[in-house]
Amino acid sequence: AKDRWLSMAITLFGRNERLIVIHDVSRLRQLEQMRKDFVGNVSHELRTPLTVIRGYLETFEDLVPAGAKRMLVQMQEQADRMDALVRDLLALSRLENGSPEQRTPVDIIALLEQITEEALAVSAGRHRIHLSLETDLGLSGYQHELRSAFTNLVINAVKYSPDGGDITVRWYTQDKDLCFAVTDSGVGIEEHHLPRLTERFYRADPSRSKHTGGTGLGLAIVKHVLLRHGGELEVSSQFGSGSCFTARFAGSANLGDKS
Ligand code: ADP
């Protein structure tokens, strides 16, 4: 059918003339913006009732009879899950809409030291976490976004590694790029999942992820944060033996902004 249109166009316009097809994408853009606003508004509106529910559930802890404790704990777990989802959806929507803030120099060394400390607390001695700081260069960017992206990658390594696993967090330069990498000796990911990992709610192993308690939005957040910093996410993995997630900031080492 495409060829028929082409030959008709050539007949109508002659070989030396140009046929220009213009698609009006403004309506599509408008719909996309409406979707982003909707998700942002819904997430924001859900926060207040959720905070009230979680607050009351906490006060019930001392009041419910022993037989009902298990139900209360489940209600609290589900309310916490919903709270995490709403927070991640809100974070994603803010990232998509861009923040009006100014970039500032971020001390990546201090940030990674804090993140590693937090990961050690989450792991509670079940993993060995090594921090390898191979450059003292920082990045110009949005500190809280970089914190959230790097934390997501390190906590995923903890979540998807069995007890006794080794995790290495690296900050280094490669050619002119600045790189942050997390390598784990965990469950690994089958190759066909790799291209889809940063999609919202995409999970390589839904039953395992259900137990690890994530929202399914972590890598989507990472992708958006990196986009806003001119960076890219690279994933390599060996199913059954471990994964490596690398955030590469192209040409950033050139800037040389020590923080
Ligand atoms: P989740 O909340 O499910 O962890 P993410 O967006 O952070 O959501 O990750 C998406 C999926 O990618 C996970 O469900 C898991 O299947 C896979 N994944 C992420 N990090 C790792 C890792 N370090 N090792 C193995 N699988 C991982």
Side-chain angles (χ1 to χ4, degrees), residues 152 156-157 159-160 184 187-189 197 202-205 209 212-220 243 245:
N152 265 309
N156 273 355
K159 283 194 317 193
Y160 297 104
D184 66 56
V187 296
I189 306 157
L197 287 185
Y202 187 86
R203 281 156 162 161
D205 183 348
S209 300
T212 56
T215 61
L217 295 168
L219 292 182
S243 311
F245 286 75

Side-chain angles (χ1 to χ4, degrees), residues 3 8 28 45 64 79 104 119 179 205 225 259:
D3 291 344
M8 263 174 66
L28 275 180
E45 292 303 322
V64 294
T104 52
C179 300
D205 183 348
V225 170
S259 307

Side-chain angles (χ1 to χ4, degrees), residues 61-245:
E61 266 171 19
D62 303 326
L63 303 174
V64 294
K69 278 260 191 291
R70 239 174 66 87
M71 278 189 281
L72 184 71
V73 169
Q74 278 183 16
M75 285 162 80
Q76 281 174 323
E77 280 172 5
Q78 293 305 319
D80 289 349
R81 215 167 93 80
M82 209 196 263
D83 188 58
L85 266 168
V86 166
R87 263 187 289 129
D88 277 359
L89 278 171
L90 204 55
L92 251 181
S93 138
R94 288 193 178 131
L95 284 168
E96 278 186 332
N97 284 320
S99 87
E101 291 165 42
Q102 290 290 315
R103 283 170 180 244
T104 52
V106 181
D107 181 351
I108 302 288
I109 305 284
L111 190 65
L112 293 186
E113 281 168 350
Q114 280 170 24
I115 291 173
T116 309
E117 284 284 311
E118 285 157 18
L120 278 167
V122 173
S123 154
R126 288 177 296 120
H127 309 87
R128 281 180 298 266
I129 306 182
H130 316 274
L131 179 59
S132 171
L133 300 166
E134 297 159 39
T135 171
D136 59 356
L137 291 176
L139 262 185
S140 166
Y142 309 101
Q143 159 122 358
H144 62 285
E145 292 183 12
L146 290 169
R147 168 189 285 281
S148 127
F150 294 166
T151 302
N152 265 309
L153 293 174
V154 179
I155 297 298
N156 273 355
V158 172
K159 283 194 317 193
Y160 297 104
S161 294
D163 292 0
D166 272 295
I167 295 165
T168 304
V169 178
R170 285 182 70 202
W171 178 240
Y172 59 100
T173 51
Q174 191 172 69
D175 302 324
K176 283 174 180 154
D177 301 342
L178 270 169
C179 300
F180 162 86
V182 187
T183 311
D184 66 56
S185 53
V187 296
I189 306 157
E190 284 168 287
E191 200 179 341
H192 66 275
H193 292 298
L194 297 182
R196 299 194 58 192
L197 287 185
T198 57
E199 287 174 21
R200 287 153 200 242
F201 301 116
Y202 187 86
R203 281 156 162 161
D205 183 348
S207 60
R208 183 190 298 274
S209 300
K210 217 175 138 195
H211 297 297
T212 56
T215 61
L217 295 168
L219 292 182
I221 290 177
V222 170
K223 179 184 144 182
H224 275 86
V225 170
L226 296 188
L227 265 176
R228 277 166 53 73
H229 288 81
E232 261 182 15
L233 182 66
E234 296 168 356
V235 190
S236 62
S237 189
Q238 199 77 44
F239 187 53
S241 53
S243 311
C244 178
F245 286 75

